[in-house]
Amino acid sequence: MPVTSDGDPVALIKDISGNSNHAVQDVAPARPTWRTNGVLSWLEYDGADDRMVTPPISYSHPALSICAGLQYLAGGNAWGSIKSAAGSVVYAGLSSPVNGGSITNCGGQTFVNGAVAPNDRIALRTALLNKSVVSVRDTQSAQFATSSTFIAYSGTPPPAAVLFGYLEIEGATSEMIDQIEQWMAHKTGVAA
Amino acid sequence: MKQSIVMISPAEAVPDANALCVALGWGSDNFLIALSADGTGPATHFGLRASESQSFVAALSEAVEADVSLNDVLTVDTRTDTNRALHFETITAETGLQRVAMPVDV
């Protein structure tokens, strides 16, 4: 059943690539909610138990880039990631700012509104408290061959956050990702 | 108008609490957040937070009140969904519980 009104829970996010790698959440209380202000719409993660899970994906290209429009909400858990694989616990973008240090993102570069890696974890968490478009370029897709989560870090309490859009692309050129970032900025309501 | 729900159950009552949730239309495994007094394991309680309709909340309240044994041990807090921010953290603090920290090597 598709969402129809602000506050509806989201149990399924369809993969529009045609590969049926849909993100699901079977546990009712752990479903993020769909929110809208009439212009923009987004997923809201409550920071308690909300997370979406994608199935194991057989990527066809070794390089995987990810672009998301998101905002962490103040308070609550500070754990988070752009994408995190269950089991092997690899991640792209962010883990616990409590631990400090730089971001590990499976070999790629992390850009947050033009700031180039290596990003400090605390600085990235702080930056993402404002609506942002974040890209993780050319990670090693093989690292994400298992079931994975996005926004929530696998195996830790999920952060409170809002997600305006999420896109994965294999073997993308820098020019393609630049265009995706502009599209994501529009969806997120921030300047491209 | 949606409502924000926080439920916390002692570990031993989780099967009964889940059965109650099943009767209301949820699945069989709803309490995913492990809790204890000092944040170390094993978990003594499990919790959840959800946004649901007023009719669901009314049915939940009725079901809990009708189950005397659950009513004695289950913490259920509801508020308007507009006040959902940090709802779970507020209730766990009021009940003297913390998330059980999971060791993660990062």
Side-chain angles (χ1 to χ4, degrees), chain A residues 7-8 27-30 33 35 44 46-49 75-77 99 121 153 155-157, chain B residues 2 26-27 29-30 32-33 47-51 81 84 86 88-89 99 102 104-106:
Chain A
D8 282 350
V27 179
T33 51
R35 303 284 175 185
E44 181 181 276
D46 67 359
D49 48 10
N77 304 302
N99 290 351
R121 292 176 181 178
Y153 184 91
T156 66
Chain B
K2 300 283 185 180
W26 282 1
D29 186 17
N30 302 289
L32 303 183
I33 309 169
L48 66 82
R49 196 218 68 92
S51 293
D81 200 45
R84 64 191 176 277
L86 301 178
F88 187 80
E89 287 79 2
R99 285 179 184 268
M102 290 171 285
V104 177
D105 182 16
V106 291

Side-chain angles (χ1 to χ4, degrees), chain A residues 77-118:
Chain A
N77 304 302
W79 289 90
S81 77
I82 309 305
K83 182 179 178 71
S84 175
S88 57
V89 197
V90 292
Y91 54 96
L94 182 64
S95 59
S96 173
V98 175
N99 290 351
S102 61
I103 298 160
T104 302
N105 63 356
C106 308
Q109 292 181 301
T110 303
F111 296 76
V112 182
N113 287 350
V116 181

